[in-house]
Amino acid sequence: MKHLKYLIVLSFLMASFFACQDEDQEFGDIIAPTNIQIEIDKVGADADNPNGDGSGTVNFTATADNAITFHFVIQNQTKLADGGSVSHDFTLLGDNSYTVTVIAFGTGGISTSKSVVVDVLSLYEPPADLLEMLHGSGSRVWRIKSEVDNHFGLGPVGGDNPFSFFGAPAESKAGVGMYDDRYVFNADGTFTHITDSTNDDPTEDTSGTVFGREVLIDELGGSGGEADGADILNLIYSDYSEQWSLSAPGGVETISLSGLAFMGYYIGGDHKYIIVSRSANEMTVKSTDGNGEFDWGFVLTAE
C-alpha cells in the first residue's frame, strides 16, 4: 500500500514537471529587462534655456535589454509606449521639477523600473477665449458634427488639410459607434468620454461602442466589433474619464488627452489634437495616428 502511495505521488510530480516544461516551451525564458536608459529631449532647450523654450513639451525615449514594451508614469498619468517613445506637455507654470518613471516589461509580464527627475519650464497660459470655448464656466459637451461634409477624414502627416485624402459626407458614418459619442471638457481638467449618449435616459448607462482603426484600436482592450476594411465598427467600450491639458508648441494650440482617451475615431498615437481652426462653438482638430501614416481630422460642435 505504501508503494502505491509513492507511485501516485511520483506520478503527480512528474506530471507537474512536464506541465511546467510545456509552459516554459510555450512562453520561453522569463527574463527581467535590464539596463534601462532614458533619453530626455526638452523642446527648444539650448545653452541659454536648459529647461526648454517655455512650451513645456518634453519627448522621452526609453531603451532596455530584453524589453518588449514600456509604460511611462508622468504626473500620475500612465502612457503606453510599445516603441519606447512618448511626448508629454507639462503645463504647471514656471520652472518645476517632475519625477518620471519608466517601467520596462519583458516576457511573462515581468518588469523593471527606473525613475528620473526632469526640470521643465512652462510659460504657456491658454487664452481666455480658448478656455471659454472648451469648457465655459464649468463644462461643455462636444460631439462630432456629423451633419456637415468633411466632418471626419484624413490627409498627409504634417499637411495643412486633414481632409485632403478623404472627407466623410454628412451622416455617412451613422451606426458605426461615433455619432452617439459625447466628449465632456470640465474646468477642473477632467475629460469624460460618453460612448453612447442615447442610453442614459432615464438612468445612466455606461455601456457603449466606439469606432477606430484596425490593430491600433486593440490598445483599448474592448470586445466585439466588426471589421470593415481598415475600420473596426462598434467595438464594445464603456464610458471613461481621463485628463485634458492645453499647450502651444511652436505657437500651435494643442489639446492633449491622458491615457487612451480619444475623440471620434481611435487612432492611437500620442493622443494630441492640434486645433486647426476654432470659433465660439466649433473646432476642427487633427491628430497623427500611431502608425505615423495619416493625420486624421475631426469637426466638433458644442451642444
Side-chain angles (χ1 to χ4, degrees):
M1 200 67 181
K2 284 184 179 180
H3 292 302
L4 180 58
K5 290 180 181 178
Y6 292 148
L7 286 172
I8 292 172
V9 171
L10 181 60
S11 297
F12 174 77
L13 291 173
M14 290 179 67
S16 299
F17 172 75
F18 285 117
C20 290
Q21 274 198 324
D22 289 341
E23 285 185 13
D24 289 342
Q25 288 173 1
E26 182 178 350
F27 296 106
D29 294 333
I30 297 177
I31 303 174
T34 57
N35 190 33
I36 298 176
Q37 301 294 319
I38 305 171
E39 181 180 329
I40 301 170
D41 172 28
K42 305 172 188 177
V43 171
D46 55 28
D48 296 325
N49 303 283
N51 294 337
D53 60 5
S55 65
T57 302
V58 181
N59 301 311
F60 297 93
T61 301
T63 59
D65 298 333
N66 303 307
I68 296 174
T69 189
F70 297 87
H71 288 184
F72 288 74
V73 182
I74 311 173
Q75 290 188 290
N76 297 318
Q77 300 177 23
T78 299
K79 299 190 172 190
L80 282 63
D82 289 341
S85 296
V86 299
S87 178
H88 186 79
D89 297 320
F90 294 91
T91 57
L92 185 62
L93 288 177
D95 254 322
N96 296 283
S97 296
Y98 305 90
T99 299
V100 175
T101 300
V102 174
I103 306 172
F105 290 88
T107 55
I110 193 168
S111 65
T112 306
S113 66
K114 180 178 181 178
S115 295
V116 294
V117 175
V118 57
D119 297 321
V120 185
L121 173 65
S122 178
L123 301 176
Y124 177 68
E125 292 189 70
D129 65 325
L130 174 55
L131 295 175
E132 178 65 26
M133 179 208 75
L134 201 59
H135 58 65
S137 59
S139 67
R140 293 193 87 184
V141 180
W142 294 78
R143 64 172 176 85
I144 296 295
K145 193 174 183 180
S146 59
E147 63 269 28
V148 299
D149 292 339
N150 294 333
H151 59 278
F152 162 64
L154 67 154
V157 174
D160 294 329
N161 181 4
F163 309 102
S164 60
F165 288 169
F166 168 76
E171 307 296 349
S172 61
K173 296 297 180 181
V176 303
M178 178 167 65
Y179 294 164
D180 58 7
D181 289 17
R182 296 296 182 268
Y183 315 100
V184 185
F185 287 89
N186 299 297
D188 65 0
T190 56
F191 169 85
T192 298
H193 182 173
I194 299 170
T195 58
D196 185 349
S197 63
T198 68
N199 61 3
D200 288 332
D201 187 16
T203 57
E204 181 181 357
D205 183 343
T206 61
S207 65
T209 63
V210 294
F211 180 42
R213 194 70 169 174
E214 63 176 351
V215 181
L216 294 172
I217 200 171
D218 292 345
E219 295 174 355
L220 295 180
S223 61
E226 175 189 349
D228 181 16
D231 298 333
I232 300 298
L233 319 181
N234 293 307
L235 183 80
I236 299 172
Y237 202 64
S238 296
D239 301 351
Y240 63 88
S241 292
E242 285 288 351
Q243 301 289 317
W244 65 268
S245 62
L246 291 169
S247 62
V252 180
E253 293 177 342
T254 302
I255 301 170
S256 296
L257 301 179
S258 67
L260 298 177
F262 70 101
M263 295 186 288
Y265 177 80
Y266 189 84
I267 57 171
D270 59 10
H271 303 264
K272 292 185 178 184
Y273 294 82
I274 291 173
I275 300 176
V276 177
S277 64
R278 62 179 173 89
S279 62
N281 298 302
E282 185 175 305
M283 60 178 167
T284 298
V285 300
K286 69 174 184 177
S287 185
T288 304
D289 64 46
N291 295 325
E293 189 175 12
F294 303 112
D295 274 356
W296 296 82
F298 309 91
V299 178
L300 295 106
T301 186
E303 293 192 325

PDB file of all heavy atoms in Angstrom, residues 18-56:
ATOM      1  N   PHE A  18       6.402  17.998 -16.195  1.00  0.00           N
ATOM      2  CA  PHE A  18       6.247  18.094 -17.649  1.00  0.00           C
ATOM      3  C   PHE A  18       5.307  19.227 -18.029  1.00  0.00           C
ATOM      4  O   PHE A  18       5.474  19.857 -19.072  1.00  0.00           O
ATOM      5  CB  PHE A  18       5.761  16.761 -18.222  1.00  0.00           C
ATOM      6  CG  PHE A  18       6.847  15.717 -18.263  1.00  0.00           C
ATOM      7  CD1 PHE A  18       6.738  14.545 -17.520  1.00  0.00           C
ATOM      8  CD2 PHE A  18       7.985  15.917 -19.019  1.00  0.00           C
ATOM      9  CE1 PHE A  18       7.734  13.590 -17.548  1.00  0.00           C
ATOM     10  CE2 PHE A  18       8.992  14.960 -19.054  1.00  0.00           C
ATOM     11  CZ  PHE A  18       8.874  13.790 -18.313  1.00  0.00           C
ATOM     12  N   ALA A  19       4.305  19.496 -17.168  1.00  0.00           N
ATOM     13  CA  ALA A  19       3.404  20.623 -17.433  1.00  0.00           C
ATOM     14  C   ALA A  19       4.173  21.932 -17.381  1.00  0.00           C
ATOM     15  O   ALA A  19       3.989  22.820 -18.220  1.00  0.00           O
ATOM     16  CB  ALA A  19       2.258  20.641 -16.431  1.00  0.00           C
ATOM     17  N   CYS A  20       5.083  22.035 -16.389  1.00  0.00           N
ATOM     18  CA  CYS A  20       5.895  23.241 -16.289  1.00  0.00           C
ATOM     19  C   CYS A  20       6.824  23.375 -17.482  1.00  0.00           C
ATOM     20  O   CYS A  20       7.052  24.459 -18.013  1.00  0.00           O
ATOM     21  CB  CYS A  20       6.718  23.239 -15.008  1.00  0.00           C
ATOM     22  SG  CYS A  20       5.710  23.445 -13.515  1.00  0.00           S
ATOM     23  N   GLN A  21       7.370  22.212 -17.927  1.00  0.00           N
ATOM     24  CA  GLN A  21       8.234  22.241 -19.097  1.00  0.00           C
ATOM     25  C   GLN A  21       7.470  22.742 -20.311  1.00  0.00           C
ATOM     26  O   GLN A  21       7.977  23.538 -21.101  1.00  0.00           O
ATOM     27  CB  GLN A  21       8.778  20.840 -19.374  1.00  0.00           C
ATOM     28  CG  GLN A  21      10.040  20.514 -18.588  1.00  0.00           C
ATOM     29  CD  GLN A  21      10.764  19.334 -19.194  1.00  0.00           C
ATOM     30  OE1 GLN A  21      10.128  18.402 -19.693  1.00  0.00           O
ATOM     31  NE2 GLN A  21      12.075  19.377 -19.173  1.00  0.00           N
ATOM     32  N   ASP A  22       6.221  22.272 -20.451  1.00  0.00           N
ATOM     33  CA  ASP A  22       5.404  22.711 -21.583  1.00  0.00           C
ATOM     34  C   ASP A  22       5.177  24.213 -21.530  1.00  0.00           C
ATOM     35  O   ASP A  22       5.222  24.900 -22.548  1.00  0.00           O
ATOM     36  CB  ASP A  22       4.054  21.979 -21.583  1.00  0.00           C
ATOM     37  CG  ASP A  22       4.215  20.509 -21.972  1.00  0.00           C
ATOM     38  OD1 ASP A  22       5.256  20.170 -22.571  1.00  0.00           O
ATOM     39  OD2 ASP A  22       3.295  19.720 -21.662  1.00  0.00           O
ATOM     40  N   GLU A  23       4.929  24.738 -20.299  1.00  0.00           N
ATOM     41  CA  GLU A  23       4.712  26.172 -20.170  1.00  0.00           C
ATOM     42  C   GLU A  23       5.962  26.932 -20.546  1.00  0.00           C
ATOM     43  O   GLU A  23       5.914  27.953 -21.235  1.00  0.00           O
ATOM     44  CB  GLU A  23       4.312  26.514 -18.743  1.00  0.00           C
ATOM     45  CG  GLU A  23       2.878  26.122 -18.408  1.00  0.00           C
ATOM     46  CD  GLU A  23       2.483  26.594 -17.033  1.00  0.00           C
ATOM     47  OE1 GLU A  23       3.226  27.431 -16.465  1.00  0.00           O
ATOM     48  OE2 GLU A  23       1.464  26.141 -16.515  1.00  0.00           O
ATOM     49  N   ASP A  24       7.143  26.424 -20.111  1.00  0.00           N
ATOM     50  CA  ASP A  24       8.397  27.098 -20.447  1.00  0.00           C
ATOM     51  C   ASP A  24       8.613  27.109 -21.944  1.00  0.00           C
ATOM     52  O   ASP A  24       9.087  28.086 -22.520  1.00  0.00           O
ATOM     53  CB  ASP A  24       9.580  26.412 -19.751  1.00  0.00           C
ATOM     54  CG  ASP A  24       9.559  26.665 -18.243  1.00  0.00           C
ATOM     55  OD1 ASP A  24       8.865  27.618 -17.831  1.00  0.00           O
ATOM     56  OD2 ASP A  24      10.223  25.910 -17.508  1.00  0.00           O
ATOM     57  N   GLN A  25       8.274  25.984 -22.607  1.00  0.00           N
ATOM     58  CA  GLN A  25       8.456  25.909 -24.045  1.00  0.00           C
ATOM     59  C   GLN A  25       7.509  26.860 -24.758  1.00  0.00           C
ATOM     60  O   GLN A  25       7.845  27.450 -25.779  1.00  0.00           O
ATOM     61  CB  GLN A  25       8.210  24.474 -24.513  1.00  0.00           C
ATOM     62  CG  GLN A  25       9.326  23.505 -24.106  1.00  0.00           C
ATOM     63  CD  GLN A  25       8.980  22.060 -24.425  1.00  0.00           C
ATOM     64  OE1 GLN A  25       7.911  21.785 -24.966  1.00  0.00           O
ATOM     65  NE2 GLN A  25       9.878  21.155 -24.104  1.00  0.00           N
ATOM     66  N   GLU A  26       6.311  27.043 -24.175  1.00  0.00           N
ATOM     67  CA  GLU A  26       5.331  27.902 -24.826  1.00  0.00           C
ATOM     68  C   GLU A  26       5.689  29.379 -24.677  1.00  0.00           C
ATOM     69  O   GLU A  26       5.587  30.147 -25.625  1.00  0.00           O
ATOM     70  CB  GLU A  26       3.952  27.645 -24.226  1.00  0.00           C
ATOM     71  CG  GLU A  26       2.845  28.473 -24.881  1.00  0.00           C
ATOM     72  CD  GLU A  26       1.481  28.171 -24.290  1.00  0.00           C
ATOM     73  OE1 GLU A  26       1.373  27.201 -23.512  1.00  0.00           O
ATOM     74  OE2 GLU A  26       0.538  28.900 -24.616  1.00  0.00           O
ATOM     75  N   PHE A  27       6.128  29.794 -23.472  1.00  0.00           N
ATOM     76  CA  PHE A  27       6.366  31.203 -23.217  1.00  0.00           C
ATOM     77  C   PHE A  27       7.841  31.586 -23.297  1.00  0.00           C
ATOM     78  O   PHE A  27       8.166  32.767 -23.325  1.00  0.00           O
ATOM     79  CB  PHE A  27       5.820  31.585 -21.830  1.00  0.00           C
ATOM     80  CG  PHE A  27       4.326  31.445 -21.736  1.00  0.00           C
ATOM     81  CD1 PHE A  27       3.746  30.397 -21.039  1.00  0.00           C
ATOM     82  CD2 PHE A  27       3.498  32.349 -22.364  1.00  0.00           C
ATOM     83  CE1 PHE A  27       2.378  30.285 -20.957  1.00  0.00           C
ATOM     84  CE2 PHE A  27       2.123  32.243 -22.284  1.00  0.00           C
ATOM     85  CZ  PHE A  27       1.564  31.193 -21.581  1.00  0.00           C
ATOM     86  N   GLY A  28       8.747  30.620 -23.336  1.00  0.00           N
ATOM     87  CA  GLY A  28      10.160  30.925 -23.376  1.00  0.00           C
ATOM     88  C   GLY A  28      10.673  31.312 -21.997  1.00  0.00           C
ATOM     89  O   GLY A  28       9.944  31.309 -21.005  1.00  0.00           O
ATOM     90  N   ASP A  29      11.946  31.660 -21.935  1.00  0.00           N
ATOM     91  CA  ASP A  29      12.550  32.067 -20.673  1.00  0.00           C
ATOM     92  C   ASP A  29      11.967  33.396 -20.213  1.00  0.00           C
ATOM     93  O   ASP A  29      11.765  34.309 -21.012  1.00  0.00           O
ATOM     94  CB  ASP A  29      14.057  32.211 -20.829  1.00  0.00           C
ATOM     95  CG  ASP A  29      14.735  30.870 -21.123  1.00  0.00           C
ATOM     96  OD1 ASP A  29      14.177  29.840 -20.707  1.00  0.00           O
ATOM     97  OD2 ASP A  29      15.796  30.870 -21.772  1.00  0.00           O
ATOM     98  N   ILE A  30      11.662  33.482 -18.937  1.00  0.00           N
ATOM     99  CA  ILE A  30      11.149  34.726 -18.369  1.00  0.00           C
ATOM    100  C   ILE A  30      12.341  35.522 -17.854  1.00  0.00           C
ATOM    101  O   ILE A  30      12.995  35.135 -16.878  1.00  0.00           O
ATOM    102  CB  ILE A  30      10.141  34.439 -17.245  1.00  0.00           C
ATOM    103  CG1 ILE A  30       8.924  33.700 -17.813  1.00  0.00           C
ATOM    104  CG2 ILE A  30       9.710  35.731 -16.569  1.00  0.00           C
ATOM    105  CD1 ILE A  30       7.905  33.304 -16.772  1.00  0.00           C
ATOM    106  N   ILE A  31      12.637  36.628 -18.540  1.00  0.00           N
ATOM    107  CA  ILE A  31      13.828  37.427 -18.230  1.00  0.00           C
ATOM    108  C   ILE A  31      13.405  38.868 -17.940  1.00  0.00           C
ATOM    109  O   ILE A  31      12.708  39.487 -18.743  1.00  0.00           O
ATOM    110  CB  ILE A  31      14.825  37.415 -19.409  1.00  0.00           C
ATOM    111  CG1 ILE A  31      15.212  35.972 -19.760  1.00  0.00           C
ATOM    112  CG2 ILE A  31      16.068  38.236 -19.070  1.00  0.00           C
ATOM    113  CD1 ILE A  31      16.076  35.856 -20.990  1.00  0.00           C
ATOM    114  N   ALA A  32      13.831  39.372 -16.811  1.00  0.00           N
ATOM    115  CA  ALA A  32      13.510  40.756 -16.457  1.00  0.00           C
ATOM    116  C   ALA A  32      14.351  41.711 -17.290  1.00  0.00           C
ATOM    117  O   ALA A  32      15.543  41.488 -17.504  1.00  0.00           O
ATOM    118  CB  ALA A  32      13.777  40.996 -14.979  1.00  0.00           C
ATOM    119  N   PRO A  33      13.749  42.799 -17.798  1.00  0.00           N
ATOM    120  CA  PRO A  33      14.523  43.801 -18.544  1.00  0.00           C
ATOM    121  C   PRO A  33      15.609  44.421 -17.664  1.00  0.00           C
ATOM    122  O   PRO A  33      15.444  44.564 -16.446  1.00  0.00           O
ATOM    123  CB  PRO A  33      13.474  44.846 -18.924  1.00  0.00           C
ATOM    124  CG  PRO A  33      12.174  44.100 -18.896  1.00  0.00           C
ATOM    125  CD  PRO A  33      12.311  43.119 -17.780  1.00  0.00           C
ATOM    126  N   THR A  34      16.713  44.774 -18.287  1.00  0.00           N
ATOM    127  CA  THR A  34      17.827  45.411 -17.569  1.00  0.00           C
ATOM    128  C   THR A  34      18.336  46.594 -18.387  1.00  0.00           C
ATOM    129  O   THR A  34      17.980  46.785 -19.535  1.00  0.00           O
ATOM    130  CB  THR A  34      18.979  44.419 -17.338  1.00  0.00           C
ATOM    131  OG1 THR A  34      19.405  43.897 -18.612  1.00  0.00           O
ATOM    132  CG2 THR A  34      18.545  43.258 -16.452  1.00  0.00           C
ATOM    133  N   ASN A  35      19.200  47.359 -17.738  1.00  0.00           N
ATOM    134  CA  ASN A  35      19.911  48.457 -18.415  1.00  0.00           C
ATOM    135  C   ASN A  35      18.941  49.461 -19.050  1.00  0.00           C
ATOM    136  O   ASN A  35      19.074  49.832 -20.215  1.00  0.00           O
ATOM    137  CB  ASN A  35      20.858  47.897 -19.476  1.00  0.00           C
ATOM    138  CG  ASN A  35      21.796  48.951 -20.040  1.00  0.00           C
ATOM    139  OD1 ASN A  35      22.194  49.876 -19.325  1.00  0.00           O
ATOM    140  ND2 ASN A  35      22.133  48.835 -21.313  1.00  0.00           N
ATOM    141  N   ILE A  36      17.981  49.937 -18.263  1.00  0.00           N
ATOM    142  CA  ILE A  36      17.045  50.946 -18.769  1.00  0.00           C
ATOM    143  C   ILE A  36      17.780  52.271 -18.967  1.00  0.00           C
ATOM    144  O   ILE A  36      18.447  52.765 -18.050  1.00  0.00           O
ATOM    145  CB  ILE A  36      15.869  51.156 -17.799  1.00  0.00           C
ATOM    146  CG1 ILE A  36      15.053  49.856 -17.649  1.00  0.00           C
ATOM    147  CG2 ILE A  36      14.960  52.283 -18.285  1.00  0.00           C
ATOM    148  CD1 ILE A  36      13.941  49.970 -16.621  1.00  0.00           C
ATOM    149  N   GLN A  37      17.661  52.803 -20.169  1.00  0.00           N
ATOM    150  CA  GLN A  37      18.241  54.105 -20.493  1.00  0.00           C
ATOM    151  C   GLN A  37      17.107  55.042 -20.908  1.00  0.00           C
ATOM    152  O   GLN A  37      16.221  54.654 -21.665  1.00  0.00           O
ATOM    153  CB  GLN A  37      19.259  53.991 -21.634  1.00  0.00           C
ATOM    154  CG  GLN A  37      20.409  53.047 -21.345  1.00  0.00           C
ATOM    155  CD  GLN A  37      21.307  53.551 -20.222  1.00  0.00           C
ATOM    156  OE1 GLN A  37      21.612  54.757 -20.154  1.00  0.00           O
ATOM    157  NE2 GLN A  37      21.714  52.661 -19.319  1.00  0.00           N
ATOM    158  N   ILE A  38      17.123  56.276 -20.421  1.00  0.00           N
ATOM    159  CA  ILE A  38      16.060  57.243 -20.707  1.00  0.00           C
ATOM    160  C   ILE A  38      16.682  58.488 -21.336  1.00  0.00           C
ATOM    161  O   ILE A  38      17.523  59.160 -20.718  1.00  0.00           O
ATOM    162  CB  ILE A  38      15.292  57.625 -19.438  1.00  0.00           C
ATOM    163  CG1 ILE A  38      14.754  56.373 -18.729  1.00  0.00           C
ATOM    164  CG2 ILE A  38      14.139  58.579 -19.785  1.00  0.00           C
ATOM    165  CD1 ILE A  38      14.175  56.645 -17.354  1.00  0.00           C
ATOM    166  N   GLU A  39      16.268  58.775 -22.548  1.00  0.00           N
ATOM    167  CA  GLU A  39      16.730  59.981 -23.249  1.00  0.00           C
ATOM    168  C   GLU A  39      15.663  61.059 -23.111  1.00  0.00           C
ATOM    169  O   GLU A  39      14.479  60.811 -23.341  1.00  0.00           O
ATOM    170  CB  GLU A  39      16.977  59.668 -24.723  1.00  0.00           C
ATOM    171  CG  GLU A  39      17.482  60.851 -25.524  1.00  0.00           C
ATOM    172  CD  GLU A  39      17.723  60.494 -26.980  1.00  0.00           C
ATOM    173  OE1 GLU A  39      18.070  59.332 -27.246  1.00  0.00           O
ATOM    174  OE2 GLU A  39      17.539  61.387 -27.833  1.00  0.00           O
ATOM    175  N   ILE A  40      16.080  62.261 -22.738  1.00  0.00           N
ATOM    176  CA  ILE A  40      15.160  63.365 -22.487  1.00  0.00           C
ATOM    177  C   ILE A  40      15.442  64.490 -23.477  1.00  0.00           C
ATOM    178  O   ILE A  40      16.563  64.996 -23.561  1.00  0.00           O
ATOM    179  CB  ILE A  40      15.306  63.883 -21.044  1.00  0.00           C
ATOM    180  CG1 ILE A  40      15.023  62.762 -20.046  1.00  0.00           C
ATOM    181  CG2 ILE A  40      14.380  65.077 -20.801  1.00  0.00           C
ATOM    182  CD1 ILE A  40      15.374  63.114 -18.607  1.00  0.00           C
ATOM    183  N   ASP A  41      14.412  64.882 -24.221  1.00  0.00           N
ATOM    184  CA  ASP A  41      14.528  65.965 -25.194  1.00  0.00           C
ATOM    185  C   ASP A  41      13.507  67.044 -24.849  1.00  0.00           C
ATOM    186  O   ASP A  41      12.315  66.906 -25.127  1.00  0.00           O
ATOM    187  CB  ASP A  41      14.284  65.425 -26.612  1.00  0.00           C
ATOM    188  CG  ASP A  41      14.209  66.533 -27.651  1.00  0.00           C
ATOM    189  OD1 ASP A  41      14.838  67.586 -27.431  1.00  0.00           O
ATOM    190  OD2 ASP A  41      13.519  66.351 -28.673  1.00  0.00           O
ATOM    191  N   LYS A  42      13.990  68.126 -24.238  1.00  0.00           N
ATOM    192  CA  LYS A  42      13.122  69.255 -23.910  1.00  0.00           C
ATOM    193  C   LYS A  42      13.035  70.158 -25.137  1.00  0.00           C
ATOM    194  O   LYS A  42      14.062  70.644 -25.620  1.00  0.00           O
ATOM    195  CB  LYS A  42      13.672  70.034 -22.715  1.00  0.00           C
ATOM    196  CG  LYS A  42      13.914  69.182 -21.477  1.00  0.00           C
ATOM    197  CD  LYS A  42      14.634  69.983 -20.397  1.00  0.00           C
ATOM    198  CE  LYS A  42      15.065  69.109 -19.242  1.00  0.00           C
ATOM    199  NZ  LYS A  42      15.828  69.859 -18.213  1.00  0.00           N
ATOM    200  N   VAL A  43      11.840  70.341 -25.632  1.00  0.00           N
ATOM    201  CA  VAL A  43      11.667  71.114 -26.863  1.00  0.00           C
ATOM    202  C   VAL A  43      12.185  72.542 -26.669  1.00  0.00           C
ATOM    203  O   VAL A  43      11.818  73.233 -25.721  1.00  0.00           O
ATOM    204  CB  VAL A  43      10.184  71.140 -27.291  1.00  0.00           C
ATOM    205  CG1 VAL A  43       9.968  72.109 -28.444  1.00  0.00           C
ATOM    206  CG2 VAL A  43       9.740  69.738 -27.695  1.00  0.00           C
ATOM    207  N   GLY A  44      13.081  72.948 -27.577  1.00  0.00           N
ATOM    208  CA  GLY A  44      13.625  74.303 -27.541  1.00  0.00           C
ATOM    209  C   GLY A  44      14.753  74.516 -26.560  1.00  0.00           C
ATOM    210  O   GLY A  44      15.216  75.655 -26.383  1.00  0.00           O
ATOM    211  N   ALA A  45      15.234  73.458 -25.923  1.00  0.00           N
ATOM    212  CA  ALA A  45      16.316  73.610 -24.951  1.00  0.00           C
ATOM    213  C   ALA A  45      17.627  73.943 -25.651  1.00  0.00           C
ATOM    214  O   ALA A  45      17.941  73.408 -26.711  1.00  0.00           O
ATOM    215  CB  ALA A  45      16.460  72.348 -24.122  1.00  0.00           C
ATOM    216  N   ASP A  46      18.388  74.857 -25.055  1.00  0.00           N
ATOM    217  CA  ASP A  46      19.733  75.177 -25.537  1.00  0.00           C
ATOM    218  C   ASP A  46      20.545  75.652 -24.343  1.00  0.00           C
ATOM    219  O   ASP A  46      20.094  75.568 -23.193  1.00  0.00           O
ATOM    220  CB  ASP A  46      19.695  76.218 -26.667  1.00  0.00           C
ATOM    221  CG  ASP A  46      18.962  77.500 -26.278  1.00  0.00           C
ATOM    222  OD1 ASP A  46      18.942  77.835 -25.067  1.00  0.00           O
ATOM    223  OD2 ASP A  46      18.417  78.183 -27.170  1.00  0.00           O
ATOM    224  N   ALA A  47      21.738  76.167 -24.613  1.00  0.00           N
ATOM    225  CA  ALA A  47      22.619  76.577 -23.521  1.00  0.00           C
ATOM    226  C   ALA A  47      22.007  77.678 -22.676  1.00  0.00           C
ATOM    227  O   ALA A  47      22.206  77.747 -21.453  1.00  0.00           O
ATOM    228  CB  ALA A  47      23.962  77.029 -24.088  1.00  0.00           C
ATOM    229  N   ASP A  48      21.236  78.551 -23.331  1.00  0.00           N
ATOM    230  CA  ASP A  48      20.612  79.660 -22.593  1.00  0.00           C
ATOM    231  C   ASP A  48      19.279  79.274 -21.959  1.00  0.00           C
ATOM    232  O   ASP A  48      18.804  79.965 -21.050  1.00  0.00           O
ATOM    233  CB  ASP A  48      20.404  80.852 -23.528  1.00  0.00           C
ATOM    234  CG  ASP A  48      21.712  81.432 -24.045  1.00  0.00           C
ATOM    235  OD1 ASP A  48      22.687  81.432 -23.280  1.00  0.00           O
ATOM    236  OD2 ASP A  48      21.756  81.853 -25.216  1.00  0.00           O
ATOM    237  N   ASN A  49      18.668  78.209 -22.474  1.00  0.00           N
ATOM    238  CA  ASN A  49      17.352  77.771 -21.980  1.00  0.00           C
ATOM    239  C   ASN A  49      17.396  76.264 -21.702  1.00  0.00           C
ATOM    240  O   ASN A  49      16.807  75.477 -22.454  1.00  0.00           O
ATOM    241  CB  ASN A  49      16.270  78.090 -23.011  1.00  0.00           C
ATOM    242  CG  ASN A  49      16.218  79.557 -23.368  1.00  0.00           C
ATOM    243  OD1 ASN A  49      15.702  80.377 -22.627  1.00  0.00           O
ATOM    244  ND2 ASN A  49      16.791  79.897 -24.528  1.00  0.00           N
ATOM    245  N   PRO A  50      18.109  75.857 -20.664  1.00  0.00           N
ATOM    246  CA  PRO A  50      18.301  74.418 -20.414  1.00  0.00           C
ATOM    247  C   PRO A  50      17.017  73.659 -20.101  1.00  0.00           C
ATOM    248  O   PRO A  50      16.974  72.439 -20.263  1.00  0.00           O
ATOM    249  CB  PRO A  50      19.254  74.389 -19.220  1.00  0.00           C
ATOM    250  CG  PRO A  50      19.051  75.713 -18.541  1.00  0.00           C
ATOM    251  CD  PRO A  50      18.769  76.690 -19.639  1.00  0.00           C
ATOM    252  N   ASN A  51      15.976  74.355 -19.684  1.00  0.00           N
ATOM    253  CA  ASN A  51      14.727  73.680 -19.328  1.00  0.00           C
ATOM    254  C   ASN A  51      13.654  73.805 -20.401  1.00  0.00           C
ATOM    255  O   ASN A  51      12.467  73.574 -20.144  1.00  0.00           O
ATOM    256  CB  ASN A  51      14.201  74.213 -17.991  1.00  0.00           C
ATOM    257  CG  ASN A  51      15.123  73.844 -16.842  1.00  0.00           C
ATOM    258  OD1 ASN A  51      15.881  72.889 -16.929  1.00  0.00           O
ATOM    259  ND2 ASN A  51      15.071  74.621 -15.782  1.00  0.00           N
ATOM    260  N   GLY A  52      14.068  74.173 -21.607  1.00  0.00           N
ATOM    261  CA  GLY A  52      13.135  74.235 -22.718  1.00  0.00           C
ATOM    262  C   GLY A  52      12.737  75.648 -23.077  1.00  0.00           C
ATOM    263  O   GLY A  52      13.142  76.617 -22.431  1.00  0.00           O
ATOM    264  N   ASP A  53      11.936  75.764 -24.138  1.00  0.00           N
ATOM    265  CA  ASP A  53      11.554  77.064 -24.674  1.00  0.00           C
ATOM    266  C   ASP A  53      10.311  77.662 -24.027  1.00  0.00           C
ATOM    267  O   ASP A  53       9.811  78.699 -24.468  1.00  0.00           O
ATOM    268  CB  ASP A  53      11.347  76.969 -26.185  1.00  0.00           C
ATOM    269  CG  ASP A  53      10.248  75.977 -26.573  1.00  0.00           C
ATOM    270  OD1 ASP A  53       9.581  75.434 -25.665  1.00  0.00           O
ATOM    271  OD2 ASP A  53      10.063  75.736 -27.779  1.00  0.00           O
ATOM    272  N   GLY A  54       9.807  77.011 -22.993  1.00  0.00           N
ATOM    273  CA  GLY A  54       8.614  77.517 -22.316  1.00  0.00           C
ATOM    274  C   GLY A  54       7.335  76.848 -22.764  1.00  0.00           C
ATOM    275  O   GLY A  54       6.280  77.058 -22.168  1.00  0.00           O
ATOM    276  N   SER A  55       7.413  76.010 -23.823  1.00  0.00           N
ATOM    277  CA  SER A  55       6.220  75.285 -24.265  1.00  0.00           C
ATOM    278  C   SER A  55       5.827  74.198 -23.282  1.00  0.00           C
ATOM    279  O   SER A  55       4.668  73.769 -23.237  1.00  0.00           O
ATOM    280  CB  SER A  55       6.460  74.661 -25.641  1.00  0.00           C
ATOM    281  OG  SER A  55       7.470  73.655 -25.576  1.00  0.00           O
ATOM    282  N   GLY A  56       6.800  73.712 -22.497  1.00  0.00           N
ATOM    283  CA  GLY A  56       6.545  72.638 -21.537  1.00  0.00           C
ATOM    284  C   GLY A  56       6.543  71.256 -22.154  1.00  0.00           C
ATOM    285  O   GLY A  56       6.287  70.265 -21.459  1.00  0.00           O
TER     286      GLY A  56
END
